[in-house]
Amino acid sequence: QPAEVVHAFLDNSGDTVDFMQDMLDRSDTGIKIFSREVPGNPYGYECIQGEHSFDIPEKYKWNTWLLGPPVMAGLTQVAQAHENIDLRFRTAGVQLVSESGRVTGAILKRMDDETYFQVNAKAVVLSTGGYEANANLMEAWVRPEDYAVAGTWDPSQGTTGDGHMMGLAVGASMDPMPHPVMSFGLAYPYKLTNLPGMGAAVMAFAIAVNEKGKRFVCEGLQMNFIANALVSQKDYGAGCWKVFDTTMACATADPAEVDAAVTEAVENGWVKKGDTIEELASAIGVDPATLADTVATYNGYFQGNAPVDAKFGRDLTTVMPLTQGPFYACNMKNMILTTVGGLTIDGEAHVLDGEGDIIEGLYASGNAAGSFYAGSYPRHLPATSVGRCATFGRVAGRNAAKGA
């Protein structure tokens, strides 16, 4: 089934982009979808050129790369304009209704007054997201190293696996465990990367060291590769650090602003500080001689006309050595964005039972659906997250509407 589902994504994704643009054109947002080029990665991981993004008009004063809210506002506006679409907010799916093996509706719960009601339908689409907000399911269904010390990037409290559980209750099958997760190697202390100079210093320029004070990964890799290397360290990476210097912190911000930022960061315990590398090592609990040797070796890669990272192959043309104290370190962990294992589906988004047969009247899309990822989320393959969700949402909705 996975090959069929992947090909269905490829066959339907272009049409989905066109459909979404048509819907946005019917709203008053003025949002336009455009294709963009994705750069390559170290070690020859070639990025497939297929990613699209959203051009958000200036009227939104939207200065973050998280583009979802304006887009969803536009799509919601269009949906509410259709009389045959009944949008119910603060309403939870509780249980599927089935007759003779066919799903014929669902029991829902109004969150405001905690009353229940039933909706009968010729088909149901489960698009309830993952289960990253459900600690019990995370412990049961994902690798312990992905979850043990991870931070979280998803502010949603509603992704608790309701669709997974409703599907399993009517005989649906699910991806084999442990489930893959969208795990990125960039969980840093609270608010640190929002401070002047800190974001670039930590995420773009710093080196990553483990509890022994040794580098363990190419820092320029995509975030999922860094996460996998991180959780392979002792205690699932709990003792890993990003190390940077004053030059790195001042590379993208005014020195006066940086000075105030690091003072705040140190006072709040988000960053450790040392006037020398050895002092910094003592502050973070690693061997001073080892960290000093790690930094000296890394700095040596910059000597000569063609800098080369002989250890991990990091592209050194866009970064810099650690030479100017004070030196700083912040704890780093992997970060869970969402789970991406779910109910098994076919290329038409039908949910399948344990025998691989279609459960009539039941469809799944987004992170409630499976049959797509293997061990982890491939960050170097653009459009396979939001693109998959949008594509199979359209495929599932189209097939459910016509009963196919």
Side-chain angles (χ1 to χ4, degrees), residues 118-131:
Q118 181 171 323
V119 172
N120 299 317
K122 63 181 180 182
V124 173
V125 179
L126 295 173
S127 296
T128 50
Y131 53 85

Side-chain angles (χ1 to χ4, degrees), residues 255-270:
E257 292 182 330
V258 170
D259 185 61
V262 295
T263 297
E264 179 181 352
V266 171
E267 289 178 350
N268 283 283
W270 304 333

Side-chain angles (χ1 to χ4, degrees), residues 156-348:
S156 173
Q157 297 179 349
T159 48
T160 53
D162 296 352
H164 294 66
M165 301 304 290
M166 286 189 286
L168 292 174
V170 295
S173 63
M174 190 168 62
D175 286 338
M177 291 176 279
H179 283 172
V181 297
M182 197 176 293
S183 181
F184 297 157
L186 45 60
Y188 305 113
Y190 178 69
K191 288 187 177 179
L192 174 64
T193 54
N194 291 332
L195 297 177
M198 295 295 100
V202 171
M203 301 177 71
F205 303 135
I207 63 171
V209 301
N210 60 19
E211 80 289 344
K212 295 180 179 180
K214 296 181 178 181
R215 289 178 71 213
F216 61 91
V217 69
C218 170
E219 296 88 350
L221 287 175
Q222 285 284 5
M223 296 178 288
N224 55 307
F225 296 122
I226 294 177
N228 284 333
L230 182 62
V231 300
S232 298
Q233 306 306 304
K234 183 181 178 181
D235 296 329
Y236 305 136
C240 292
W241 300 84
K242 278 292 189 74
V243 177
F244 58 99
D245 71 353
T246 299
T247 301
M248 294 175 179
C250 294
T252 59
D254 181 85
E257 292 182 330
V258 170
D259 185 61
V262 295
T263 297
E264 179 181 352
V266 171
E267 289 178 350
N268 283 283
W270 304 333
V271 161
K272 301 296 184 181
K273 177 183 177 181
D275 289 332
T276 66
I277 289 294
E278 289 81 2
E279 287 183 13
L280 179 65
S282 297
I284 63 176
V286 306
D287 180 64
T290 301
L291 185 60
D293 180 67
T294 295
V295 172
T297 300
Y298 182 74
N299 288 346
Y301 296 150
F302 289 86
Q303 297 177 2
N305 296 325
V308 175
D309 179 356
K311 185 78 171 180
F312 291 108
R314 184 180 190 180
D315 180 5
L316 301 181
T317 62
T318 59
V319 294
M320 60 199 74
L322 294 91
T323 57
Q324 182 182 348
F327 300 91
Y328 305 95
C330 72
N331 192 234
M332 65 180 297
K333 295 183 174 68
N334 71 306
M335 177 174 284
I336 300 295
L337 177 56
T338 185
T339 58
V340 290
L343 305 175
T344 54
I345 61 171
D346 63 13
E348 298 295 332

